[in-house]
Amino acid sequence: MYIGSTGERGLRHMVFEVADRAVNEVLAGHASCVDVTLTPDGGVRVADDGRGVHIDESGASGTSGLEALLTRMQTGAGTGGRHDVTLGFCGVGPFVVNALSSRMTAEVRRGGARWVQEYARGVAVTPLTEAGTSTGSGTTITFWPDADIFGAAGFSFDGLADRFRELALLNKGLEISLTDQRGPGESRSARFRYPGGARDFVALLDEQEETPVHRQIVGFEREDPRMAGSVEVALRWRDSPEERLRSFANSRPTIGGTHERGFRDGVAAAVTAYAREQRLLTTSDPNLEGDRIGEGLTAVVSVKLDDPEFDGSTRGVLGNAAVRVCVEEAVRQHLGRWLEEHPERAAAIIGRIIKGAPRD
């Protein structure tokens, strides 16, 4: 239920549930990077150089903050607004990973000391013990999935890499490394960091693809209190009949919603207004919209909201009504201004839309 599967997909979400806290340490400015390692013995190690999980006793139960993190569902997990990224299936925290692992070890480096604890199938089998000094701070959690539950299923390096890459593209300050030590010989590794954000995302989507109609990627970010959040957009047209639109809400992939509708409305309004201003459309011509504008368009639309609302249990469609108006306005103004400042590129885009992309 909490990880969605007892196969490879479920294993992938176990990694994400453990990595959630570490990723948010980086985004909050308390850590510089997250390191994820697939170990030779079938385990997964997630390490960060953040503040270190609290080791003091927490609440009436008298357990440490670390044990509370690893043995209890995190109340309100995944509801920290735009500044809290949720990677996992439900965002309930690492307790579910602990329960589904034959073994888990935790190391906390905090206040100049190093603390360790070991668990088996969700239960602490050693006390939290001080194991020496530490010159730095951070947390390392290593787990080994229970073979009685997952059988012979294994972790997919590519599946993990795709999501970590996507996350780094959507959050400019985030750096994640992924290392696979399971194979013989040299380990396989990748490091993800993209200071260009959504612009880098569009460039990656267009990599080794069709010739762009305009080489410069149009991109912007805007904060808007009316939707209690921000929007980041990047787009470029290329010589292709295919539309390639990726949308996200609080770094979660979406399959539609008010941010997508606002983006389409804004692009159509900006392109049509420029075409009429330049008399590329007659007064009797209809507005440019829909499929004609989308042909050859690569775009990334990412909103980060304090209180996102989703339609349906899969949380794939964004429902915040104010988002549509805010995104439409931002896209219309920024793209409209870019078209005016780049008349030659604008003419190529509008001309292609009006004439229609060539079809096979």
Side-chain angles (χ1 to χ4, degrees):
M1 168 180 173
Y2 292 120
I3 60 171
S5 163
T6 56
E8 189 278 323
R9 178 169 172 259
L11 289 173
R12 187 167 66 243
H13 279 291
M14 287 177 71
V15 179
F16 296 155
E17 292 291 355
V18 174
D20 261 358
R21 185 205 53 79
V23 166
N24 285 307
E25 279 283 281
V26 176
L27 295 181
H30 302 305
S32 63
C33 63
V34 178
D35 295 306
V36 180
T37 304
L38 307 179
T39 64
D41 57 357
V44 178
R45 182 172 61 247
V46 178
D48 68 77
D49 57 353
R51 297 166 292 181
V53 175
H54 286 286
I55 48 124
D56 298 329
E57 292 185 355
S58 172
S61 66
T63 59
S64 69
L66 175 65
E67 190 165 342
L69 174 71
L70 299 180
T71 60
R72 301 176 192 168
M73 182 181 293
Q74 301 303 297
T75 303
T79 59
R82 74 179 97 171
H83 303 296
D84 184 9
V85 169
T86 301
L87 286 78
F89 191 71
C90 295
V92 293
F95 94 97
V96 67
V97 180
N98 197 0
L100 296 173
S101 296
S102 59
R103 181 183 172 214
M104 174 181 280
T105 62
E107 176 187 282
V108 176
R109 301 170 300 282
R110 186 182 178 96
R114 175 176 170 266
W115 299 80
V116 296
Q117 191 169 27
E118 186 163 335
Y119 297 79
R121 292 181 169 87
V123 178
V125 294
T126 66
L128 180 61
T129 305
E130 187 172 353
T133 61
S134 174
T135 56
S137 63
T139 304
T140 300
I141 295 175
T142 308
F143 67 92
W144 291 262
D146 193 334
D148 291 341
I149 297 172
F150 295 96
F155 295 98
S156 165
F157 180 92
D158 292 335
L160 292 169
D162 286 346
R163 178 58 175 146
F164 287 142
R165 180 184 299 106
E166 181 179 82
L167 200 64
L169 286 161
L170 296 169
N171 297 276
K172 294 179 181 178
L174 180 59
E175 181 174 334
I176 304 177
S177 71
L178 176 62
T179 303
D180 188 352
Q181 299 178 339
R182 296 171 298 175
E186 294 186 3
S187 63
R188 179 184 182 188
S189 63
R191 184 169 292 271
F192 308 109
R193 186 176 183 276
Y194 296 95
R199 285 185 176 89
D200 285 345
F201 206 154
V202 167
L204 190 65
L205 291 172
D206 281 352
E207 194 174 29
Q208 297 179 342
E209 290 289 339
E210 304 83 359
T211 303
V213 176
H214 55 106
R215 294 197 173 276
Q216 181 183 4
I217 296 173
V218 184
F220 71 92
E221 296 177 65
R222 177 182 287 189
E223 178 85 17
D224 197 324
R226 294 175 298 172
M227 66 178 189
S230 62
V231 56
E232 182 178 9
V233 169
L235 62 109
R236 178 168 63 184
W237 276 271
R238 63 196 191 288
D239 189 16
S240 168
E242 175 195 5
E243 179 186 72
R244 189 181 291 136
L245 172 61
R246 302 283 297 276
S247 68
F248 302 85
N250 288 23
S251 299
R252 296 180 71 102
T254 49
I255 56 174
T258 50
H259 55 331
E260 279 198 21
R261 291 194 291 272
F263 169 77
R264 294 183 187 280
D265 291 345
V267 172
V271 169
T272 298
Y274 183 83
R276 293 200 184 282
E277 180 183 329
Q278 299 299 314
R279 298 184 179 180
L280 300 174
L281 291 176
T282 68
T283 55
S284 60
D285 287 330
N287 289 341
L288 300 174
E289 57 186 19
D291 293 342
R292 294 178 70 183
I293 290 179
E295 288 183 349
L297 179 64
T298 299
V300 172
V301 182
S302 174
V303 294
K304 295 179 180 177
L305 309 172
D306 289 338
D307 187 21
E309 301 170 1
F310 295 93
D311 299 334
S313 59
T314 60
R315 298 170 64 85
V317 179
L318 187 68
N320 300 63
V323 169
R324 180 173 184 174
V325 175
C326 296
V327 172
E328 184 276 333
E329 180 182 288
V331 172
R332 173 170 47 83
Q333 292 178 355
H334 190 94
L335 178 57
R337 184 165 55 251
W338 185 88
L339 292 170
E340 291 176 356
E341 293 172 353
H342 302 84
E344 291 185 5
R345 297 169 186 167
I349 294 169
I350 303 298
R352 186 178 184 280
I353 294 172
I354 291 175
K355 295 175 182 177
R359 300 179 182 275
D360 294 337

